[in-house]
């Protein structure tokens, strides 16, 4: 069921500050179309269960057959933010009293042969969602599309995709996964620094996990998160505490068993990102894959995840997928 009407979109057009036009850009096969599915499902255009598999923006027959995007495809969606999340926006970023946003999203090709489609998409949008494979990292076309975005003065945000591959295929430990994420973010910022203008009117456009311009997750499985979501959960949605707490969830901040923070790693402490962000995900993963179904369902209940009668019979990968999708839907990231 679609959560908005044509009337909602028409009314939103009267408030230009509440309109966002975004391009989804990336290297080929890094998961742009599957991630776009999750955003489209958040608007109710496609079912949550189909997100990641429907390839909604691949409208041509040859695109569906080859599983590759050839033409840039746009879709308009309408979202409403709650009062808490509106408090994080600057007063110039929205019209007073209006919490509904019109999102014009363009899914562009990643193949080098269709780079002209990326340029055309960037020229009519305000921002770019750069999707990067968390396993492959920054690739050749990632740098190319970022350079195109810099040339068009487009502000980038990043989503580190295919996190499920790091868990299922590579089976990386938490510290190694954090190091992988950090290196990718540093690599992207190096590219932005090289091709960005020094005296750009856009100001600081480097991506930063603490500032909320980096997301993590799996577009195919339909789940994702940002550090802000975990900071909100741990501070019970206290805006002031959340802004301070989020800084401890990235970088060299270590937490011991007594809840004390330190800047130095010791034998009895663990990095904040690993302990507070990755640890719950790894617990669910281990419970599901080691067939500890009761423990998995108990943890799902603690996370306020309600499983249907059919879903309770799932095992291993399907169970992990449905718990993660309901706990951390990619559309909320």
């Amino acid at each position: 069921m679609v959560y908005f009407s044509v009337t909602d979109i028409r009314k939103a057009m009267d408030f230009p500050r509440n309109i966002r036009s975004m391009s989804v850009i990336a290297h080929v096969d890094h998961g742009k179309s599957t991630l776009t599915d999750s955003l489209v499902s958040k608007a109710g255009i496609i079912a949550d269960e189909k997100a990641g598999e429907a390839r909604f923006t691949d409208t041509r027959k040859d695109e569906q057959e080859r599983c590759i995007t050839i033409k840039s495809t746009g879709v308009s969606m309408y979202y409403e933010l709650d009062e808490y999340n509106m408090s994080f926006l600057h007063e110039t970023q929205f019209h007073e009293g209006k919490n509904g946003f019109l999102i014009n999203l363009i899914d562009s090709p990643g193949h080098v042969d269709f780079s002209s489609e990326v340029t055309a998409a960037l020229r009519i949008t305000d921002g770019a969602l750069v999707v990067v494979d968390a396993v492959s990292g920054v690739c050749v076309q990632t740098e190319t599309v970022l350079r195109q975005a810099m040339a068009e003065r487009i502000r980038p945000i990043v989503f580190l995709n295919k996190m499920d591959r790091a868990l299922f295929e590579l089976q990386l430990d938490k510290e190694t996964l954090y190091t992988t994420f950090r290196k990718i973010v540093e690599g992207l910022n190096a590219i932005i620094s090289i091709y960005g203008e020094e005296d750009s009117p856009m100001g600081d456009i480097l991506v930063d996990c603490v500032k909320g311009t980096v997301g993590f997750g799996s577009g195919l499985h339909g789940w994702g998160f940002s550090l802000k979501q975990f900071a909100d959960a741990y501070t019970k949605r206290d805006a002031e505490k959340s802004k301070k707490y989020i800084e401890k969830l990235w970088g060299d901040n270590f937490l011991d068993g007594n809840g004390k923070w330190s800047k130095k790693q010791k034998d009895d402490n663990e990095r904040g990102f690993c302990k507070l962000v990755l640890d719950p995900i790894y617990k669910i993963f281990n419970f599901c894959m080691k067939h500890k179904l009761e423990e998995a369902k108990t943890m799902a209940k603690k996370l306020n995840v309600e499983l249907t009668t059919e879903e309770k019979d799932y095992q291993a990968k399907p169970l992990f997928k449905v718990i993660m999708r309901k706990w951390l839907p990619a559309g909320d990231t």
Side-chain angles (χ1 to χ4, degrees):
M1 177 185 166
V2 181
Y3 301 141
F4 60 90
S5 64
V6 175
T7 308
D8 292 326
I9 291 183
R10 174 62 196 89
K11 287 180 180 177
M13 290 179 183
D14 294 331
F15 304 99
R17 284 187 194 171
N18 286 45
I19 298 175
R20 302 286 188 272
S21 297
M22 296 284 296
S23 296
V24 185
I25 58 176
H27 184 81
V28 64
D29 281 339
H30 274 207
K32 295 178 298 301
S33 298
T34 51
L35 179 61
T36 303
D37 274 3
S38 297
L39 302 177
V40 171
S41 72
K42 173 69 176 174
I45 298 174
I46 61 174
D48 289 345
E49 293 76 16
K50 295 288 184 182
E53 299 170 5
R55 298 180 67 89
F56 178 79
T57 49
D58 287 350
T59 53
R60 291 167 37 142
K61 187 179 179 181
D62 54 351
E63 289 179 324
Q64 289 286 351
E65 288 174 352
R66 299 181 185 183
C67 291
I68 185 173
T69 305
I70 297 172
K71 283 284 186 183
S72 291
T73 308
V75 58
S76 292
M77 301 170 287
Y78 180 79
Y79 291 111
E80 288 187 355
L81 283 183
D82 57 28
E83 189 177 338
Y84 174 76
N85 285 309
M86 288 293 289
S87 67
F88 286 87
L89 297 179
H90 194 270
E91 59 184 13
T92 59
Q93 293 179 310
F94 63 97
H95 285 270
E96 189 176 352
K98 300 294 178 183
N99 68 334
F101 290 83
L102 173 61
I103 313 292
N104 298 312
L105 195 68
I106 298 178
D107 179 28
S108 56
H111 199 284
V112 65
D113 290 351
F114 312 121
S115 56
S116 60
E117 291 285 326
V118 179
T119 305
L122 288 170
R123 285 187 176 169
I124 58 171
T125 52
D126 315 311
L129 173 57
V130 185
V131 183
V132 182
D133 187 331
V135 175
S136 304
V138 178
C139 295
V140 178
Q141 196 64 10
T142 311
E143 183 172 346
T144 304
V145 294
L146 255 181
R147 188 175 72 241
Q148 287 176 285
M150 295 298 101
E152 300 295 339
R153 289 184 173 178
I154 299 295
R155 184 180 290 275
I157 59 171
V158 175
F159 187 84
L160 302 183
N161 198 23
K162 299 192 181 183
M163 194 172 156
D164 57 294
R165 286 187 64 202
L167 295 172
F168 287 107
E169 295 175 22
L170 301 184
Q171 297 184 351
L172 301 178
D173 61 70
K174 290 179 281 187
E175 187 64 29
T176 306
L177 187 56
Y178 165 79
T179 305
T180 303
F181 288 156
R182 180 178 54 79
K183 287 180 178 177
I184 292 173
V185 172
E186 288 174 354
L188 290 167
N189 280 331
I191 295 169
I192 294 170
S193 299
I194 292 169
Y195 297 112
E197 301 174 34
E198 287 187 14
D199 301 321
S200 171
M202 293 189 293
D204 182 17
I205 56 172
L206 296 179
V207 294
D208 187 346
C209 300
V210 174
K211 291 180 180 177
T213 50
V214 179
F216 313 85
S218 167
L220 180 63
H221 288 185
W223 58 270
F225 62 90
S226 63
L227 296 188
K228 178 183 173 296
Q229 286 173 269
F230 279 89
D232 288 344
Y234 287 121
T235 58
K236 297 181 179 178
R237 290 169 73 93
D238 185 313
E240 291 303 316
K241 288 182 180 178
S242 180
K243 288 175 183 176
K244 294 177 182 178
Y245 200 83
I246 195 172
E247 295 177 3
K248 296 179 180 179
L249 297 179
W250 191 256
D252 293 332
N253 296 291
F254 303 92
L255 183 66
D256 63 20
N258 298 320
K260 291 185 178 180
W261 290 93
S262 172
K263 286 287 184 182
K264 293 183 179 180
Q265 188 167 18
K266 301 174 185 175
D267 294 335
D268 62 340
N269 63 14
E270 190 177 3
R271 191 181 300 277
F273 180 78
C274 298
K275 189 176 183 68
L276 298 175
V277 179
L278 293 182
D279 192 53
I281 297 172
Y282 271 71
K283 279 183 178 177
I284 296 172
F285 173 75
N286 288 325
F287 286 152
C288 294
M289 300 310 291
K290 292 178 181 178
H291 300 284
K292 296 180 180 179
L293 303 183
E294 289 306 314
E295 287 92 333
K297 292 170 188 174
T298 302
M299 188 156 187
K301 194 173 182 180
K302 288 180 181 178
L303 298 171
N304 297 320
V305 173
E306 294 184 9
L307 299 174
T308 64
T309 306
E310 183 185 351
E311 290 166 349
K312 286 178 181 177
D313 294 332
Y314 290 174
Q315 293 188 22
K317 196 172 181 179
L319 180 61
F320 175 73
K321 179 180 175 180
V322 75
I323 291 175
M324 290 301 297
R325 192 180 70 237
K326 290 192 172 186
W327 176 37
L328 298 170
D332 292 345
T333 306

